[in-house]
Amino acid sequence: MKLYYFSEMPHHEFPDEEGDKYPSLRLEFPNRFFDREKAAANYQRYLTEYEFADQAGFDGLMINEHHSTPSCVNVGVNMTAAILARTTRRAKILLLGNILPIEDNPVRMAEQLAMADLISGGRVLSGFVRGVGVETWWSNTNPVHNRERFEECHDLILKCWTEPGPFRWEGRHYHFRHVNPWCLPLQKPHPPIWIPGTASPETAVWAGRRGYTYVPFLVPSEIARELFDYYRQGAAEVGRTVTAENLGFLICAVTAETKAKALEAGRHFVWRMGPTLRAPTEYFAPVGMRSRAGAQFALRARPRSLATLSYQELLDGQFIVAGTPDEVIDRFSRIQRELGVGHLLLEAQESRMDHPTTMRSIELMGAKVIPAVAAL
Amino acid sequence: MRPREETISVGGVGVHTWIGGQGDALLVLHGAGGNRGWTRWLAQVAERFTVWAPTHPGFGRSGDADWMDGIDDLARFHLWFIDAAGLGRPHLVGHSIGGWTAAEMATMSPGSIDRLVLVAPVGLKPEKGEILDVFYYSPPQLLTMTVHDPKTVPEWDELYGRAPTPAEVEIATRNREMAARLTWKPYMHNPRLAHFLPRVTNPTLIVWGREDRVVPVECGEQYRRLLPNADLTVLERCGHLPPVEQPEIFARLVLDFLGGHNRR
């Protein structure tokens, strides 16, 4: 099983009581609380941690993108990929991912990903996501079109990568008369495509049909298994065999020399489950963004929202793993056995988890955990 | 006379329609909340007019129209509805997004309609203030922001007094999705509409609630300025739903303006 390092690049640099005054940290929390000097230093710090994760032996570096929220100030996943393409050497660069429905120019997207792939020597894993509602508000994209735009944007990017230009694209949402990108990915036919899942059975089926790597995020393992069943259903429709390589899972994880230290560090993950997910329904799921089936599945997948779970409940539910390297290896092995995944994505830094703690965890993962789980 | 319900086919879309009354045809277009059916003010107006109250495509029990992208599509559709239903040259009343639709219809084909009543229509970008982002709030929150004072709404109990059935929740969700489909961007307005409104010389009555928290009352003044033959009436202690909040007064305004079957 391969391990991936991930930080949301949080900006938890404000008094919590200020954030509590607003209906959500997303969309509504005023950006006068954005601290420019601290942000400048944090970007350097977060990139250093990614580079160290590459050196320490992580198989991949996962990056993502959000907007209008202190929970993640990585506002351009392709920008970060371009930096890591130059400053890292070995690990895959997993963009998970680009938010396709809010993208107005899929041709530019195809070009930028190709350029990152070329610069990195073919290390890009190109994740495509539908995004949460917050990004729909941020971009003012009609949520009713979310799935249609996701699929059409995907189709156009794929065509840019796989069919010779020039060609014309007149779709439902995208219109280009002269498509002929002079930048194509190094990997042939194109970088592997990854798709995350939280609650949409349609997405799992869709990814299964195409053989993309599918990764449920922070869901109970029984829900992950159910989503994998949808994925297998899609794969079976087209006669595809599903292997561990096709399946991943994302959790929060930190390790330290002692269990006490790890548990102390792991507490920082509670912020991303609680305060940063606190919001009226409409912020995360504006009208029309989810199908009725998706909305019903989401209710079942999360009978209680992550925001209402205590630290202990999050540990018990395996949303967070925090322990000594041996304990972490044990937990990861269990996840691998339960889910049969080939990729485990670790959100490994959060909130105010400090630089030394983060670096030490990366170091221990590299020295002990990664070699131990590699054979699983 | 009791109203009847019919499904009228327009371009392959079944349009669920309430029909009732006697006299000249009066076409009534509902707002984003959907077709509330045979409410008190309609019954009153139907004493002098034959009321046709269609449910927009994608709303309520009408058929789907996922291909529609904006209110101008809905306006062309309802001009077609006038032909399909054989309404001749009806009077036209539209509320909120139905008012916007009515205004667009009038700019497209002023000769197709007689008198025009616009009730708190969206459609113009407010010169002052903003149109409330209705999709940002939950339906219960929205309801309290939509009316001035629930206690003064005579039909409150009939319309909102009990928990909705699952079928009603499904219809409300569908209504909201279609409203989003039609009005998301530019939000609730057409930047080009102001350039076309001067074409509409039809006698027009604009009605607004002074306490409208959804669409600023100043937009009523903008419409009045742009329409060559329009009057604006502002109702005190009234929010965004004049036909429901003050049904007697609203029906009286409409009847006085339209004149009934003796007016020529």
Side-chain angles (χ1 to χ4, degrees):
Chain A
M1 185 167 67
K2 299 190 179 85
L3 290 192
Y4 296 70
Y5 174 85
F6 168 44
S7 162
E8 281 215 293
M9 301 195 178
H11 187 84
H12 196 176
E13 305 290 357
F14 51 86
D16 287 322
E17 57 273 22
E18 291 295 340
D20 293 345
K21 292 177 186 166
Y22 297 88
S24 177
L25 290 180
R26 308 201 187 214
L27 294 169
E28 288 294 320
F29 186 43
N31 63 359
R32 67 187 162 87
F33 291 101
F34 183 83
D35 187 320
R36 298 166 201 235
E37 278 70 31
K38 284 185 176 151
N42 281 344
Y43 281 123
Q44 296 298 334
R45 172 200 152 176
Y46 293 145
L47 289 167
T48 299
E49 288 163 359
Y50 270 113
E51 288 150 14
F52 185 52
D54 175 50
Q55 294 153 17
F58 273 88
D59 298 283
L61 310 172
M62 171 183 157
I63 47 183
N64 76 336
E65 171 175 330
H66 280 284
H67 298 276
S68 203
T69 172
S71 63
C72 171
V73 296
N74 189 351
V75 294
V77 75
N78 293 347
M79 286 177 71
T80 313
I83 295 167
L84 295 176
R86 269 292 281 184
T87 62
T88 64
R89 289 284 166 266
R90 207 192 38 74
K92 300 284 187 190
I93 300 167
L94 168 59
L95 299 83
L96 203 57
N98 272 296
I99 308 161
L100 298 192
I102 67 170
E103 178 58 48
D104 284 332
N105 191 336
V107 181
R108 183 203 293 271
M109 175 77 74
E111 289 174 344
Q112 290 184 348
L113 286 166
M115 191 164 155
D117 194 49
L118 292 160
I119 295 171
S120 69
R123 288 186 287 135
V124 164
L125 303 174
S126 177
F128 294 141
V129 312
R130 286 178 61 202
V132 294
V134 174
E135 278 66 41
T136 285
W137 292 109
W138 169 82
S139 63
N140 201 15
T141 312
N142 196 329
V144 170
H145 295 150
N146 185 279
R147 179 165 291 281
E148 285 174 14
R149 283 176 65 97
F150 175 81
E151 293 190 10
E152 187 179 334
C153 186
H154 159 274
D155 293 348
L156 179 48
I157 291 170
L158 264 278
K159 186 162 180 173
C160 285
W161 285 344
T162 56
E163 291 191 26
F167 61 85
R168 185 179 284 215
W169 186 276
E170 298 287 354
R172 165 84 166 91
H173 297 286
Y174 299 102
H175 308 271
F176 295 89
R177 299 217 291 280
H178 303 280
V179 184
N180 191 23
W182 265 79
C183 190
L184 294 167
L186 186 63
Q187 296 179 82
K188 287 180 181 169
H190 56 75
I193 292 172
W194 287 44
I195 305 288
T198 50
S200 168
E202 299 101 314
T203 301
V205 173
W206 183 89
R209 278 193 204 119
R210 285 162 181 76
Y212 297 159
T213 303
Y214 178 69
V215 188
F217 279 12
L218 294 169
V219 295
S221 53
E222 65 272 18
I223 295 298
R225 275 199 297 272
E226 212 171 320
L227 288 166
F228 288 148
D229 285 342
Y230 282 110
Y231 180 90
R232 289 193 183 89
Q233 182 189 315
E237 283 172 19
V238 294
R240 236 178 244 288
T241 311
V242 178
T243 70
E245 266 301 299
N246 297 120
L247 307 177
F249 192 56
L250 182 140
I251 55 166
C252 297
V254 64
T255 187
E257 285 86 355
T258 66
K259 186 174 182 115
K261 272 190 187 173
L263 284 174
E264 192 190 327
R267 217 169 255 290
H268 290 287
F269 293 117
V270 177
W271 184 69
R272 69 94 62 227
M273 312 282 184
T276 75
L277 294 179
R278 178 177 58 85
T281 308
E282 285 68 23
Y283 293 16
F284 278 100
V287 63
M289 188 157 158
R290 275 190 180 141
S291 68
R292 306 290 198 287
Q296 277 166 11
F297 189 86
L299 277 179
R300 219 156 42 76
R302 295 215 190 287
R304 283 176 66 196
S305 79
L306 290 173
T308 64
L309 300 181
S310 69
Y311 183 34
Q312 191 56 49
E313 287 170 317
L314 290 163
L315 287 166
D316 294 343
Q318 236 159 236
F319 299 102
I320 300 173
V321 171
T324 62
D326 284 342
E327 288 165 336
V328 166
I329 291 165
D330 183 57
R331 276 303 177 105
F332 290 179
S333 307
R334 194 191 306 171
I335 290 170
Q336 205 285 328
R337 278 198 307 278
E338 282 176 5
L339 298 177
V341 294
H343 311 274
L344 190 60
L345 283 45
L346 308 181
E347 186 166 345
Q349 190 282 328
E350 251 308 347
S351 183
R352 296 180 179 130
M353 191 190 293
D354 64 26
H355 183 57
T357 305
T358 307
M359 292 294 270
R360 184 67 183 138
S361 177
I362 293 170
E363 190 181 0
L364 288 171
M365 290 276 186
K368 302 194 170 162
V369 182
I370 292 169
V373 302
L376 295 176
Chain B
M1 192 161 68
R2 287 184 60 80
R4 64 183 195 277
E5 292 172 74
E6 270 183 33
T7 298
I8 297 167
S9 179
V10 180
V13 180
V15 182
H16 175 254
T17 308
W18 288 88
I19 305 160
Q22 52 195 344
D24 294 343
L26 172 65
L27 176 61
V28 176
L29 301 181
H30 64 79
N35 194 338
R36 293 188 178 83
W38 207 251
T39 49
R40 203 173 289 195
W41 81 273
L42 274 186
Q44 219 163 315
V45 168
E47 287 172 14
R48 297 233 302 260
F49 293 93
T50 306
V51 170
W52 296 72
T55 302
H56 305 319
F59 284 75
R61 282 179 277 159
S62 285
D64 287 329
D66 292 353
W67 49 269
M68 282 194 184
D69 263 347
I71 290 293
D72 49 345
D73 293 331
L74 190 59
R76 276 185 217 103
F77 184 89
H78 280 307
L79 284 168
W80 194 355
F81 177 88
I82 288 174
D83 298 342
L87 302 192
R89 187 164 163 263
H91 298 302
L92 177 56
V93 177
H95 172 237
S96 197
I97 67 165
W100 177 10
T101 308
E104 296 274 3
M105 289 165 73
T107 65
M108 289 171 185
S109 184
S112 296
I113 53 181
D114 195 341
R115 295 194 154 218
L116 183 61
V117 181
L118 304 178
V119 189
V122 285
L124 292 175
K125 180 182 162 189
E127 287 166 2
K128 280 189 215 149
E130 291 170 347
I131 297 170
L132 181 77
D133 192 338
V134 297
F135 302 112
Y136 203 55
Y137 297 95
S138 68
Q141 279 177 308
L142 203 58
L143 188 55
T144 63
M145 289 190 269
T146 305
V147 298
H148 171 57
D149 180 1
K151 289 194 290 295
T152 66
V153 177
E155 293 162 288
W156 185 266
D157 286 345
E158 292 104 291
L159 293 173
Y160 313 111
R162 57 172 178 78
T165 64
E168 286 165 342
V169 169
E170 169 64 22
I171 281 180
T173 305
R174 190 162 179 265
N175 290 350
R176 213 159 136 86
E177 282 178 5
M178 191 63 185
R181 183 179 292 283
L182 296 172
T183 66
W184 194 267
K185 189 164 77 175
Y187 177 64
M188 289 284 176
H189 73 284
N190 171 3
R192 298 173 299 283
L193 179 60
H195 296 279
F196 286 114
L197 286 174
R199 182 184 182 195
V200 181
T201 55
N202 310 48
T204 302
L205 171 67
I206 305 161
V207 182
W208 228 283
R210 175 80 66 201
E211 278 74 37
D212 193 329
R213 282 177 283 170
V214 180
V215 193
V217 65
E218 287 80 6
C219 288
E221 189 50 42
Q222 286 173 241
Y223 266 106
R224 194 200 57 74
R225 231 170 36 228
L226 290 161
L227 289 162
N229 201 3
D231 287 316
L232 169 65
T233 298
V234 177
L235 301 175
E236 305 297 331
R237 292 175 298 285
C238 182
H240 185 60
L241 304 181
V244 171
E245 291 180 68
Q246 302 188 4
E248 315 284 334
I249 293 168
F250 179 75
R252 174 54 45 204
L253 272 176
V254 171
L255 287 170
D256 286 351
F257 173 69
L258 299 181
H261 59 278
N262 293 325
R263 199 192 64 79
R264 271 290 170 269

